[in-house]
Amino acid sequence: TAEEPIVFTSSKEPGSRARGDWGGLIINGNAPINACADEDSFCEAFGEGGTGFYGGSDSADDSGVLKYVRVEFAGTLVSPENELNGIAFQGVGSSTEVDYIQVHMNADDGIEFFGGTVNVKHVVLTGIADDSLDWTYGWTGKAQFVLAKLAEDAGDQGIEADNNSQANDVLPRANPTLANMTFIGHKDADIGVLLREGTSVSISNSVFTGF
């Protein structure tokens, strides 16, 4: 509930907790992704950090309910090229309910969508060390009511977005719909919105400041 949220946090004592204390929350679904760079094939991919296979052909796939949840002090470094996100939605479908979630003080990205069609609402991203919101592999869902605030000691892009780095025009093309968002950077932050590698997007009623 709002008064008693689910909190995924570090096992260390309060006051000694820091980014990267533990892994993060990973949800694998059966919705379409484009990681195979072949628009005519059924596509599966293997998740970052050895987190299992995801992806499929069910756009309306249901991975359950994630509501009133905070993930904090996560983002363990698995290898120099493999660092876990606060919440990774990997091929998650549109029947999944995601509402009132927060990622706080994550070592890598706050939230990243690896394809899929999942929609999210009421999202707070604070103190993220890399990109606050990220997507790749053909995410076509929606995000509304998003607040992201970078901490003064870290943070890269507000949004970093790709379709597929190996085949920019592969389908389904990443094309999320984003609305009612506020991203607050600082003097050392990088880019507010970095769109690349063939992604599409619709952004409305949103503010990016301090980048």
Side-chain angles (χ1 to χ4, degrees):
T1 65
E3 293 75 20
E4 295 183 330
I6 298 165
V7 180
F8 294 85
T9 191
S10 168
S11 61
K12 295 180 180 179
E13 293 296 320
S16 63
R17 295 170 178 169
R19 296 183 184 98
D21 278 352
W22 64 285
L25 181 59
I26 297 127
I27 302 175
N28 289 348
N30 298 308
I33 62 173
N34 69 20
C36 305
D38 182 352
E39 62 186 77
D40 296 322
S41 71
F42 172 86
C43 183
E44 284 187 329
F46 199 69
E48 291 186 329
T51 54
F53 285 99
Y54 67 92
S57 58
D58 186 1
S59 295
D61 188 42
D62 186 351
S63 290
V65 177
L66 192 71
K67 190 170 184 179
Y68 296 119
V69 170
R70 184 168 74 247
V71 175
E72 57 185 22
F73 306 110
T76 291
L77 181 69
V78 178
S79 72
E81 300 299 322
N82 199 344
E83 196 169 20
L84 295 178
N85 304 292
I87 305 176
F89 295 97
Q90 300 186 152
V92 178
S94 61
S95 293
T96 307
E97 181 182 353
V98 183
D99 202 0
Y100 297 104
I101 60 172
Q102 179 179 8
V103 177
H104 178 62
M105 295 293 284
N106 200 73
D108 194 34
D109 300 330
I111 291 176
E112 183 161 4
F113 300 91
F114 295 84
T117 55
V118 65
N119 306 313
V120 301
K121 292 191 301 181
H122 303 105
V123 177
V124 177
L125 306 168
T126 47
I128 307 303
D130 196 7
D131 309 313
S132 293
L133 181 66
D134 200 332
W135 69 78
T136 189
Y137 291 162
W139 178 47
T140 58
K142 301 176 182 179
Q144 188 177 25
F145 311 123
V146 178
L147 171 64
K149 188 177 190 304
L150 276 63
E152 292 293 332
D153 68 323
D156 198 6
Q157 273 75 242
I159 292 176
E160 183 176 281
D162 305 307
N163 183 44
N164 182 309
S165 62
Q166 304 303 311
N168 292 174
D169 290 322
V170 71
L171 302 177
R173 185 183 301 276
N175 187 19
T177 301
L178 315 177
N180 308 109
M181 305 188 301
T182 301
F183 281 72
I184 304 169
H186 55 71
K187 62 182 180 62
D188 296 319
D190 200 352
I191 299 170
V193 186
L194 177 59
L195 305 174
R196 62 185 189 182
E197 309 289 6
T199 190
S200 293
V201 68
S202 172
I203 301 175
S204 61
N205 299 329
S206 297
V207 174
F208 297 82
T209 184
F211 292 93

